Amino acid sequence: MENNLKVYKSDKFDVDDISGLSLFVYPRSLFIFAKDQNQANIGIHHYDEFSLPDLESLFSNDPLLRQDVPVKFYFHQSGFSLVPGVLFQPGKEKEYLKFAQEVPEDAKFFFSPLDSNNLQIVSFISSKLKKNLDARFSEVTLHHGGCTFLSYLFKERFNLIGQEILVNYFRSHIYLASFTDQDLSLFNIFEISGKDDILKYILIAMDQLKYDRNHVRVSIFGATEPSGITEAWGKSYFQNFKLQNPHANQNYSHGFKHLKSENVLETYWQYD
């Protein structure tokens, strides 16, 4: 695990300045953001080739996670459901989630509001993990990882055209969202093995929604040099294609010179 750790920090980083942590648990990696009392990022740890069972060992080994401060966890996982706000009722999370996947009997549910409470994103973790988190930290908040991408898209919705497909790429998986006339039509997570799979899922979404290939706008967030996802690649398939970086709601102290190479959505924008 230690060999997979990348560290980014402020020039004047001090663990005593940490007032909160945000953890982004991806299927194969982990980002830990340490924030000061002004919510500026002062330190980031990125664990590559991470898996969820590794988390407990990090509680005692990672210097950021040894701090008992308020912690927010964002789980990027397939087990989630979107529920219209007018239909959502706390206590019925298992019913909403059974349409996404089989839910374990010991599941602990959590949900987060989006789009001014017009939508709730519901997800779960195991009771064992929830118990371990509560034992380690005195204040824990849980969210599904899709909150970040969706919250950004809802903020930008009035800049969208009639047919939009937006993809957030994070190595082994993507989020794919479609908006029709500025209303969310589709949102899901897909496991991928390369850029050809991204193309496949975009074309499937276009077919399902009956989008016009000459008019639809396709945007991809999170593309990196090793991924091979380039403007030239996208424009060879779509007339209206763009690689995007979101507008930022995150502040940083001096430092973090190499962070941009990660090109992770949460380095720019985080749901709160």
Side-chain angles (χ1 to χ4, degrees):
M1 279 289 293
E2 288 299 323
N3 292 333
N4 293 325
L5 172 62
K6 299 176 185 176
V7 177
Y8 307 94
K9 61 184 179 179
S10 162
D11 295 337
K12 298 180 180 178
F13 175 80
D14 190 328
V15 291
D16 292 335
D17 293 331
I18 298 174
S19 66
L21 298 172
S22 294
L23 277 74
F24 298 92
V25 183
Y26 282 91
R28 297 184 186 175
S29 64
L30 169 69
F31 281 85
I32 307 169
F33 285 68
K35 299 173 182 291
D36 66 14
Q37 61 183 355
N38 297 315
Q39 292 302 295
N41 296 293
I42 57 175
I44 298 174
H45 285 181
H46 173 205
Y47 287 92
D48 208 2
E49 302 306 325
F50 167 88
S51 63
L52 197 55
D54 299 326
L55 185 58
E56 192 169 357
S57 68
L58 290 181
F59 289 162
S60 55
N61 295 327
D62 186 280
L64 299 183
L65 294 181
R66 288 202 294 265
Q67 312 306 306
D68 188 7
V69 294
V71 178
K72 297 176 183 177
F73 281 85
Y74 299 79
F75 293 94
H76 292 280
Q77 58 188 19
S78 59
F80 76 92
S81 185
L82 296 179
V83 184
V86 294
L87 301 178
F88 178 75
Q89 295 182 46
K92 292 193 173 183
E93 293 87 350
K94 189 171 185 177
E95 293 181 35
Y96 303 137
L97 283 161
K98 70 182 181 182
F99 297 104
Q101 69 174 71
E102 186 175 346
V103 181
E105 287 299 320
D106 68 342
K108 295 297 180 181
F109 303 106
F110 52 92
F111 52 89
S112 306
L114 293 161
D115 192 29
S116 301
N117 290 315
N118 287 321
L119 198 65
Q120 296 279 348
I121 182 166
V122 183
S123 192
F124 68 92
I125 56 174
S126 69
S127 60
K128 178 182 178 182
L129 178 55
K130 180 65 163 63
K131 183 178 179 180
N132 289 341
L133 297 183
D134 289 339
R136 175 61 192 86
F137 302 105
S138 55
E139 184 177 335
V140 178
T141 307
L142 306 178
H143 300 286
H144 187 271
C147 285
T148 293
F149 191 39
L150 276 173
S151 67
Y152 181 77
L153 296 181
F154 283 128
K155 175 184 174 290
E156 293 292 308
R157 69 192 305 165
F158 298 112
N159 293 321
L160 303 180
I161 63 174
Q163 298 180 357
E164 292 268 5
I165 293 180
L166 306 108
V167 175
N168 181 23
Y169 165 81
F170 45 101
R171 249 179 54 192
S172 62
H173 291 71
I174 58 169
Y175 286 117
L176 188 149
S178 298
F179 280 76
T180 305
D181 296 327
Q182 301 179 342
D183 287 329
L184 183 66
S185 302
L186 183 153
F187 182 76
N188 213 337
I189 186 173
F190 301 101
E191 186 171 4
I192 61 168
S193 58
K195 60 185 180 182
D196 288 344
D197 285 341
I198 299 176
L199 177 62
K200 175 183 73 174
Y201 287 117
I202 291 173
L203 293 174
I204 289 172
M206 287 176 56
D207 184 62
Q208 288 180 341
L209 297 167
K210 298 185 172 15
Y211 281 179
D212 186 329
R213 193 159 172 174
N214 293 319
H215 293 106
V216 63
R217 181 163 63 186
V218 177
S219 301
I220 296 184
F221 297 78
T224 58
E225 189 174 334
S227 73
I229 302 167
T230 64
E231 291 272 1
W233 171 79
K235 287 181 176 177
S236 66
Y237 298 103
F238 307 106
Q239 185 171 316
N240 198 350
F241 175 88
K242 191 171 184 181
L243 298 182
Q244 298 270 24
N245 283 326
H247 306 301
N249 69 357
Q250 294 299 292
N251 297 317
Y252 294 88
S253 305
H254 291 294
F256 302 97
K257 187 168 67 171
H258 302 293
L259 181 61
K260 283 190 176 180
S261 65
E262 300 277 4
N263 207 16
V264 173
L265 187 78
E266 286 94 349
T267 63
Y268 298 91
W269 179 274
Q270 294 179 16
Y271 171 85
D272 190 1

